[in-house]
mmCIF file of all heavy atoms in Angstrom:
data_model
loop_
_atom_site.group_PDB
_atom_site.id
_atom_site.type_symbol
_atom_site.label_atom_id
_atom_site.label_comp_id
_atom_site.label_asym_id
_atom_site.label_seq_id
_atom_site.Cartn_x
_atom_site.Cartn_y
_atom_site.Cartn_z
ATOM 1 N N TYR A 1 0.859 -3.836 12.821
ATOM 2 C CA TYR A 1 -0.006 -4.876 12.291
ATOM 3 C C TYR A 1 -1.046 -4.263 11.352
ATOM 4 O O TYR A 1 -1.282 -3.054 11.357
ATOM 5 C CB TYR A 1 -0.702 -5.614 13.432
ATOM 6 C CG TYR A 1 -1.498 -4.711 14.356
ATOM 7 C CD1 TYR A 1 -2.822 -4.398 14.075
ATOM 8 C CD2 TYR A 1 -0.922 -4.180 15.505
ATOM 9 C CE1 TYR A 1 -3.547 -3.568 14.905
ATOM 10 C CE2 TYR A 1 -1.638 -3.353 16.344
ATOM 11 C CZ TYR A 1 -2.943 -3.049 16.041
ATOM 12 O OH TYR A 1 -3.667 -2.219 16.872
ATOM 13 N N ARG A 2 -1.651 -5.094 10.566
ATOM 14 C CA ARG A 2 -2.716 -4.645 9.675
ATOM 15 C C ARG A 2 -4.018 -4.497 10.453
ATOM 16 O O ARG A 2 -4.421 -5.404 11.181
ATOM 17 C CB ARG A 2 -2.884 -5.632 8.522
ATOM 18 C CG ARG A 2 -3.884 -5.203 7.475
ATOM 19 C CD ARG A 2 -3.796 -6.094 6.252
ATOM 20 N NE ARG A 2 -4.025 -7.489 6.577
ATOM 21 C CZ ARG A 2 -3.790 -8.492 5.753
ATOM 22 N NH1 ARG A 2 -3.299 -8.251 4.534
ATOM 23 N NH2 ARG A 2 -4.032 -9.740 6.125
ATOM 24 N N GLU A 3 -4.682 -3.369 10.275
ATOM 25 C CA GLU A 3 -5.908 -3.098 10.998
ATOM 26 C C GLU A 3 -7.029 -2.742 10.041
ATOM 27 O O GLU A 3 -6.804 -2.191 8.960
ATOM 28 C CB GLU A 3 -5.703 -1.958 12.008
ATOM 29 C CG GLU A 3 -5.355 -0.627 11.362
ATOM 30 C CD GLU A 3 -5.253 0.512 12.361
ATOM 31 O OE1 GLU A 3 -5.735 0.349 13.502
ATOM 32 O OE2 GLU A 3 -4.697 1.568 12.004
ATOM 33 N N LEU A 4 -8.233 -3.042 10.462
ATOM 34 C CA LEU A 4 -9.414 -2.696 9.681
ATOM 35 C C LEU A 4 -9.712 -1.214 9.842
ATOM 36 O O LEU A 4 -9.794 -0.704 10.959
ATOM 37 C CB LEU A 4 -10.610 -3.531 10.126
ATOM 38 C CG LEU A 4 -11.948 -3.227 9.453
ATOM 39 C CD1 LEU A 4 -11.887 -3.539 7.968
ATOM 40 C CD2 LEU A 4 -13.068 -4.020 10.119
ATOM 41 N N VAL A 5 -9.902 -0.535 8.728
ATOM 42 C CA VAL A 5 -10.205 0.891 8.724
ATOM 43 C C VAL A 5 -11.699 1.130 8.565
ATOM 44 O O VAL A 5 -12.308 1.878 9.336
ATOM 45 C CB VAL A 5 -9.430 1.618 7.617
ATOM 46 C CG1 VAL A 5 -9.799 3.102 7.582
ATOM 47 C CG2 VAL A 5 -7.933 1.446 7.823
ATOM 48 N N ALA A 6 -12.295 0.523 7.554
ATOM 49 C CA ALA A 6 -13.712 0.716 7.271
ATOM 50 C C ALA A 6 -14.207 -0.429 6.414
ATOM 51 O O ALA A 6 -13.451 -1.012 5.640
ATOM 52 C CB ALA A 6 -13.966 2.049 6.567
ATOM 53 N N SER A 7 -15.496 -0.741 6.549
ATOM 54 C CA SER A 7 -16.125 -1.793 5.761
ATOM 55 C C SER A 7 -17.499 -1.344 5.322
ATOM 56 O O SER A 7 -18.147 -0.544 5.997
ATOM 57 C CB SER A 7 -16.266 -3.095 6.560
ATOM 58 O OG SER A 7 -15.012 -3.623 6.926
ATOM 59 N N ILE A 8 -17.944 -1.884 4.201
ATOM 60 C CA ILE A 8 -19.293 -1.631 3.728
ATOM 61 C C ILE A 8 -19.895 -2.960 3.290
ATOM 62 O O ILE A 8 -19.240 -3.762 2.617
ATOM 63 C CB ILE A 8 -19.321 -0.577 2.602
ATOM 64 C CG1 ILE A 8 -20.761 -0.216 2.244
ATOM 65 C CG2 ILE A 8 -18.535 -1.037 1.390
ATOM 66 C CD1 ILE A 8 -20.867 1.066 1.429
ATOM 67 N N PHE A 9 -21.155 -3.184 3.686
ATOM 68 C CA PHE A 9 -21.829 -4.448 3.478
ATOM 69 C C PHE A 9 -23.036 -4.285 2.560
ATOM 70 O O PHE A 9 -23.415 -3.165 2.208
ATOM 71 C CB PHE A 9 -22.284 -5.035 4.817
ATOM 72 C CG PHE A 9 -21.172 -5.296 5.788
ATOM 73 C CD1 PHE A 9 -20.664 -4.282 6.580
ATOM 74 C CD2 PHE A 9 -20.629 -6.568 5.901
ATOM 75 C CE1 PHE A 9 -19.631 -4.520 7.472
ATOM 76 C CE2 PHE A 9 -19.598 -6.823 6.788
ATOM 77 C CZ PHE A 9 -19.102 -5.796 7.571
ATOM 78 N N SER A 10 -23.626 -5.413 2.203
ATOM 79 C CA SER A 10 -24.870 -5.378 1.443
ATOM 80 C C SER A 10 -25.903 -4.556 2.195
ATOM 81 O O SER A 10 -26.053 -4.685 3.413
ATOM 82 C CB SER A 10 -25.400 -6.789 1.216
ATOM 83 O OG SER A 10 -24.495 -7.558 0.465
ATOM 84 N N GLY A 11 -26.610 -3.711 1.464
ATOM 85 C CA GLY A 11 -27.522 -2.774 2.088
ATOM 86 C C GLY A 11 -26.844 -1.491 2.513
ATOM 87 O O GLY A 11 -27.480 -0.638 3.136
ATOM 88 N N ASP A 12 -25.569 -1.358 2.212
ATOM 89 C CA ASP A 12 -24.779 -0.151 2.460
ATOM 90 C C ASP A 12 -24.559 0.118 3.941
ATOM 91 O O ASP A 12 -24.324 1.266 4.338
ATOM 92 C CB ASP A 12 -25.420 1.066 1.794
ATOM 93 C CG ASP A 12 -25.366 0.990 0.283
ATOM 94 O OD1 ASP A 12 -24.452 0.321 -0.244
ATOM 95 O OD2 ASP A 12 -26.233 1.594 -0.373
ATOM 96 N N ARG A 13 -24.638 -0.900 4.774
ATOM 97 C CA ARG A 13 -24.263 -0.747 6.174
ATOM 98 C C ARG A 13 -22.754 -0.602 6.263
ATOM 99 O O ARG A 13 -22.011 -1.315 5.583
ATOM 100 C CB ARG A 13 -24.740 -1.942 6.989
ATOM 101 C CG ARG A 13 -24.381 -1.870 8.471
ATOM 102 C CD ARG A 13 -25.062 -2.995 9.233
ATOM 103 N NE ARG A 13 -24.660 -4.300 8.752
ATOM 104 C CZ ARG A 13 -23.600 -4.976 9.205
ATOM 105 N NH1 ARG A 13 -22.843 -4.458 10.164
ATOM 106 N NH2 ARG A 13 -23.326 -6.172 8.713
ATOM 107 N N THR A 14 -22.300 0.305 7.108
ATOM 108 C CA THR A 14 -20.875 0.607 7.201
ATOM 109 C C THR A 14 -20.376 0.500 8.627
ATOM 110 O O THR A 14 -21.133 0.650 9.594
ATOM 111 C CB THR A 14 -20.565 2.018 6.677
ATOM 112 O OG1 THR A 14 -21.296 2.984 7.442
ATOM 113 C CG2 THR A 14 -20.955 2.148 5.217
ATOM 114 N N THR A 15 -19.092 0.233 8.771
ATOM 115 C CA THR A 15 -18.406 0.263 10.044
ATOM 116 C C THR A 15 -17.096 1.013 9.865
ATOM 117 O O THR A 15 -16.514 1.029 8.781
ATOM 118 C CB THR A 15 -18.126 -1.145 10.593
ATOM 119 O OG1 THR A 15 -17.270 -1.854 9.683
ATOM 120 C CG2 THR A 15 -19.423 -1.928 10.767
ATOM 121 N N TYR A 16 -16.625 1.623 10.957
ATOM 122 C CA TYR A 16 -15.388 2.387 10.938
ATOM 123 C C TYR A 16 -14.577 2.115 12.186
ATOM 124 O O TYR A 16 -15.125 1.882 13.265
ATOM 125 C CB TYR A 16 -15.666 3.889 10.872
ATOM 126 C CG TYR A 16 -16.349 4.353 9.617
ATOM 127 C CD1 TYR A 16 -17.732 4.442 9.550
ATOM 128 C CD2 TYR A 16 -15.608 4.712 8.500
ATOM 129 C CE1 TYR A 16 -18.361 4.867 8.398
ATOM 130 C CE2 TYR A 16 -16.229 5.142 7.341
ATOM 131 C CZ TYR A 16 -17.601 5.218 7.294
ATOM 132 O OH TYR A 16 -18.222 5.646 6.145
ATOM 133 N N ALA A 17 -13.272 2.170 12.037
ATOM 134 C CA ALA A 17 -12.411 2.212 13.198
ATOM 135 C C ALA A 17 -12.610 3.538 13.921
ATOM 136 O O ALA A 17 -12.847 4.576 13.296
ATOM 137 C CB ALA A 17 -10.945 2.053 12.790
ATOM 138 N N ASP A 18 -12.516 3.512 15.236
ATOM 139 C CA ASP A 18 -12.734 4.730 16.007
ATOM 140 C C ASP A 18 -11.781 5.853 15.607
ATOM 141 O O ASP A 18 -12.151 7.033 15.631
ATOM 142 C CB ASP A 18 -12.584 4.450 17.503
ATOM 143 C CG ASP A 18 -13.728 3.630 18.067
ATOM 144 O OD1 ASP A 18 -14.800 3.579 17.431
ATOM 145 O OD2 ASP A 18 -13.554 3.040 19.148
ATOM 146 N N SER A 19 -10.584 5.503 15.210
ATOM 147 C CA SER A 19 -9.588 6.506 14.892
ATOM 148 C C SER A 19 -9.890 7.291 13.621
ATOM 149 O O SER A 19 -9.319 8.362 13.405
ATOM 150 C CB SER A 19 -8.208 5.852 14.770
ATOM 151 O OG SER A 19 -8.203 4.871 13.749
ATOM 152 N N VAL A 20 -10.788 6.778 12.774
ATOM 153 C CA VAL A 20 -11.077 7.438 11.501
ATOM 154 C C VAL A 20 -12.537 7.794 11.339
ATOM 155 O O VAL A 20 -12.907 8.384 10.319
ATOM 156 C CB VAL A 20 -10.627 6.571 10.304
ATOM 157 C CG1 VAL A 20 -9.178 6.138 10.465
ATOM 158 C CG2 VAL A 20 -11.533 5.352 10.145
ATOM 159 N N LYS A 21 -13.373 7.488 12.292
ATOM 160 C CA LYS A 21 -14.822 7.570 12.133
ATOM 161 C C LYS A 21 -15.302 8.960 11.716
ATOM 162 O O LYS A 21 -16.224 9.082 10.904
ATOM 163 C CB LYS A 21 -15.515 7.137 13.416
ATOM 164 C CG LYS A 21 -17.027 7.073 13.317
ATOM 165 C CD LYS A 21 -17.645 6.525 14.592
ATOM 166 C CE LYS A 21 -17.215 5.088 14.829
ATOM 167 N NZ LYS A 21 -17.855 4.497 16.031
ATOM 168 N N ASP A 22 -14.721 9.995 12.238
ATOM 169 C CA ASP A 22 -15.163 11.355 11.953
ATOM 170 C C ASP A 22 -14.456 11.975 10.758
ATOM 171 O O ASP A 22 -14.765 13.117 10.388
ATOM 172 C CB ASP A 22 -14.957 12.249 13.177
ATOM 173 C CG ASP A 22 -15.802 11.824 14.360
ATOM 174 O OD1 ASP A 22 -16.924 11.319 14.151
ATOM 175 O OD2 ASP A 22 -15.343 11.999 15.509
ATOM 176 N N ARG A 23 -13.553 11.245 10.145
ATOM 177 C CA ARG A 23 -12.748 11.806 9.062
ATOM 178 C C ARG A 23 -12.863 11.050 7.746
ATOM 179 O O ARG A 23 -12.700 11.647 6.682
ATOM 180 C CB ARG A 23 -11.274 11.854 9.479
ATOM 181 C CG ARG A 23 -11.021 12.691 10.720
ATOM 182 C CD ARG A 23 -9.541 12.748 11.061
ATOM 183 N NE ARG A 23 -9.021 11.441 11.455
ATOM 184 C CZ ARG A 23 -8.047 10.806 10.818
ATOM 185 N NH1 ARG A 23 -7.465 11.355 9.751
ATOM 186 N NH2 ARG A 23 -7.625 9.621 11.250
ATOM 187 N N PHE A 24 -13.109 9.753 7.798
ATOM 188 C CA PHE A 24 -13.158 8.921 6.598
ATOM 189 C C PHE A 24 -14.593 8.519 6.293
ATOM 190 O O PHE A 24 -15.407 8.327 7.203
ATOM 191 C CB PHE A 24 -12.329 7.648 6.775
ATOM 192 C CG PHE A 24 -10.843 7.859 6.879
ATOM 193 C CD1 PHE A 24 -10.283 9.123 6.962
ATOM 194 C CD2 PHE A 24 -9.998 6.761 6.898
ATOM 195 C CE1 PHE A 24 -8.919 9.312 7.060
ATOM 196 C CE2 PHE A 24 -8.626 6.924 6.994
ATOM 197 C CZ PHE A 24 -8.081 8.199 7.077
ATOM 198 N N THR A 25 -14.879 8.337 5.009
ATOM 199 C CA THR A 25 -16.184 7.875 4.567
ATOM 200 C C THR A 25 -16.009 6.800 3.513
ATOM 201 O O THR A 25 -15.307 7.010 2.523
ATOM 202 C CB THR A 25 -17.032 9.021 3.998
ATOM 203 O OG1 THR A 25 -17.190 10.049 4.983
ATOM 204 C CG2 THR A 25 -18.410 8.508 3.596
ATOM 205 N N ILE A 26 -16.649 5.663 3.731
ATOM 206 C CA ILE A 26 -16.614 4.588 2.756
ATOM 207 C C ILE A 26 -17.942 4.558 2.016
ATOM 208 O O ILE A 26 -19.006 4.738 2.614
ATOM 209 C CB ILE A 26 -16.310 3.230 3.420
ATOM 210 C CG1 ILE A 26 -16.080 2.144 2.361
ATOM 211 C CG2 ILE A 26 -17.405 2.823 4.398
ATOM 212 C CD1 ILE A 26 -15.541 0.834 2.931
ATOM 213 N N SER A 27 -17.892 4.333 0.712
ATOM 214 C CA SER A 27 -19.093 4.256 -0.100
ATOM 215 C C SER A 27 -18.904 3.190 -1.160
ATOM 216 O O SER A 27 -17.777 2.785 -1.457
ATOM 217 C CB SER A 27 -19.424 5.611 -0.736
ATOM 218 O OG SER A 27 -18.360 6.050 -1.564
ATOM 219 N N ARG A 28 -20.018 2.765 -1.752
ATOM 220 C CA ARG A 28 -19.989 1.633 -2.666
ATOM 221 C C ARG A 28 -20.778 1.934 -3.918
ATOM 222 O O ARG A 28 -21.898 2.429 -3.842
ATOM 223 C CB ARG A 28 -20.551 0.393 -1.961
ATOM 224 C CG ARG A 28 -20.502 -0.894 -2.757
ATOM 225 C CD ARG A 28 -20.976 -2.044 -1.901
ATOM 226 N NE ARG A 28 -20.860 -3.328 -2.556
ATOM 227 C CZ ARG A 28 -21.123 -4.497 -1.976
ATOM 228 N NH1 ARG A 28 -21.514 -4.520 -0.713
ATOM 229 N NH2 ARG A 28 -20.989 -5.622 -2.656
ATOM 230 N N ASP A 29 -20.184 1.614 -5.045
ATOM 231 C CA ASP A 29 -20.861 1.689 -6.328
ATOM 232 C C ASP A 29 -21.137 0.253 -6.747
ATOM 233 O O ASP A 29 -20.299 -0.401 -7.359
ATOM 234 C CB ASP A 29 -19.995 2.407 -7.362
ATOM 235 C CG ASP A 29 -20.697 2.594 -8.688
ATOM 236 O OD1 ASP A 29 -21.744 1.975 -8.921
ATOM 237 O OD2 ASP A 29 -20.183 3.378 -9.511
ATOM 238 N N SER A 30 -22.318 -0.248 -6.414
ATOM 239 C CA SER A 30 -22.630 -1.656 -6.630
ATOM 240 C C SER A 30 -22.620 -2.037 -8.109
ATOM 241 O O SER A 30 -22.200 -3.137 -8.465
ATOM 242 C CB SER A 30 -23.993 -1.994 -6.021
ATOM 243 O OG SER A 30 -23.984 -1.824 -4.618
ATOM 244 N N ALA A 31 -23.092 -1.142 -8.953
ATOM 245 C CA ALA A 31 -23.176 -1.447 -10.372
ATOM 246 C C ALA A 31 -21.807 -1.714 -10.984
ATOM 247 O O ALA A 31 -21.684 -2.521 -11.908
ATOM 248 C CB ALA A 31 -23.879 -0.314 -11.111
ATOM 249 N N GLU A 32 -20.784 -1.058 -10.454
ATOM 250 C CA GLU A 32 -19.444 -1.210 -10.986
ATOM 251 C C GLU A 32 -18.535 -2.005 -10.053
ATOM 252 O O GLU A 32 -17.345 -2.141 -10.332
ATOM 253 C CB GLU A 32 -18.831 0.159 -11.258
ATOM 254 C CG GLU A 32 -19.597 0.974 -12.285
ATOM 255 C CD GLU A 32 -18.969 2.333 -12.529
ATOM 256 O OE1 GLU A 32 -17.857 2.581 -12.016
ATOM 257 O OE2 GLU A 32 -19.596 3.141 -13.230
ATOM 258 N N ASN A 33 -19.096 -2.515 -8.945
ATOM 259 C CA ASN A 33 -18.315 -3.248 -7.952
ATOM 260 C C ASN A 33 -17.085 -2.465 -7.515
ATOM 261 O O ASN A 33 -15.978 -3.013 -7.429
ATOM 262 C CB ASN A 33 -17.930 -4.628 -8.490
ATOM 263 C CG ASN A 33 -19.109 -5.556 -8.600
ATOM 264 O OD1 ASN A 33 -20.009 -5.537 -7.766
ATOM 265 N ND2 ASN A 33 -19.112 -6.397 -9.631
ATOM 266 N N THR A 34 -17.302 -1.211 -7.232
ATOM 267 C CA THR A 34 -16.234 -0.315 -6.820
ATOM 268 C C THR A 34 -16.572 0.301 -5.469
ATOM 269 O O THR A 34 -17.710 0.707 -5.230
ATOM 270 C CB THR A 34 -16.007 0.793 -7.861
ATOM 271 O OG1 THR A 34 -15.644 0.202 -9.112
ATOM 272 C CG2 THR A 34 -14.903 1.728 -7.413
#
């Protein structure tokens, strides 16, 4: 099934799946919506 890996919200708050928390990093470039 499709699972959530990581999310980033307004204010740069982030969440991670436990399986990737220590290995993956999500970041946001707000100016470029990337």
Side-chain angles (χ1 to χ4, degrees):
Y1 56 88
R2 185 169 58 192
E3 63 176 344
L4 177 64
V5 178
S7 297
I8 187 164
F9 300 83
S10 298
D12 292 334
R13 180 172 60 88
T14 59
T15 62
Y16 296 92
D18 289 341
S19 60
V20 308
K21 185 175 296 183
D22 296 327
R23 301 182 294 120
F24 293 7
T25 302
I26 188 170
S27 60
R28 184 175 185 175
D29 184 347
S30 296
E32 299 180 8
N33 290 324
T34 300

